[in-house]
């Protein structure tokens, strides 16, 4: 049973930084792709970025390039989302997701999800 547990969310002022963590368990993640999505109130779940577990290849939503960085620690089975220069519009619930098949960077293409962690950016 795949389990993804996010942590690290909270309240931060605009311009600040946060690092989210996603602890993964229940399966070998070597050939997986791990992604971060976010969902603001009243909006659809939005792709943030993804990383391949084996090679560490990353890909980001164009609007977030340069501010957000995804990394992973294979020994800890953990994926991170470093968020810098945060803006009030970054306020959302952030989700970690995993898959083992190739597909588009859409929520429906990821089979496994964490419970989410709230990030609130105050102006």
């Amino acid at each position: 049973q795949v389990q993804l547990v996010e942590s690290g969310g909270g309240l931060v002022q605009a311009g600040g930084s946060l690092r989210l963590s996603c602890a993964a368990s229940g399966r070998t993640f070597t050939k997986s792709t791990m992604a971060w999505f976010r969902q603001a109130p009243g909006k659809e779940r939005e792709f943030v970025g993804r990383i391949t577990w084996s090679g560490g290849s990353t890909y980001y939503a164009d609007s977030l390039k340069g501010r957000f960085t995804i990394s992973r620690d294979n020994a800890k089975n953990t994926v991170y989302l470093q968020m810098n220069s945060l803006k009030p519009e970054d306020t959302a619930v952030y989700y970690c997701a995993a898959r083992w098949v190739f597909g588009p960077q859409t929520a429906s293409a990821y089979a496994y999800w964490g419970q989410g962690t709230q990030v609130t950016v105050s102006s």
Side-chain angles (χ1 to χ4, degrees):
Q1 184 77 7
V2 174
Q3 285 193 320
L4 305 174
V5 180
E6 301 97 333
S7 61
L11 175 64
V12 63
Q13 287 189 333
S17 298
L18 275 178
R19 188 177 79 157
L20 306 183
S21 300
C22 173
S25 63
R27 184 170 172 175
T28 300
F29 286 82
T30 305
K31 296 184 179 181
S32 69
T33 297
M34 306 293 292
W36 287 95
F37 286 78
R38 67 184 185 182
Q39 189 165 19
K43 295 188 176 182
E44 293 188 353
R45 197 164 293 191
E46 175 189 21
F47 172 75
V48 171
R50 68 97 174 116
I51 187 167
T52 58
W53 198 276
S54 57
S57 169
T58 54
Y59 177 76
Y60 300 94
D62 287 342
S63 61
L64 300 175
K65 285 179 183 177
R67 292 197 300 123
F68 288 17
T69 303
I70 298 175
S71 61
R72 86 261 189 261
D73 184 329
N74 291 356
K76 295 182 178 180
N77 259 22
T78 300
V79 174
Y80 303 98
L81 176 64
Q82 177 68 43
M83 305 183 293
N84 299 326
S85 302
L86 283 163
K87 306 174 182 179
E89 51 263 43
D90 293 319
T91 295
V93 176
Y94 284 72
Y95 296 92
C96 176
R99 68 182 183 196
W100 278 259
V101 294
F102 180 78
Q105 303 310 329
T106 59
S108 60
Y110 283 82
Y112 302 95
W113 292 84
Q115 81 288 351
T117 185
Q118 176 71 47
V119 171
T120 303
V121 184
S122 63
S123 56

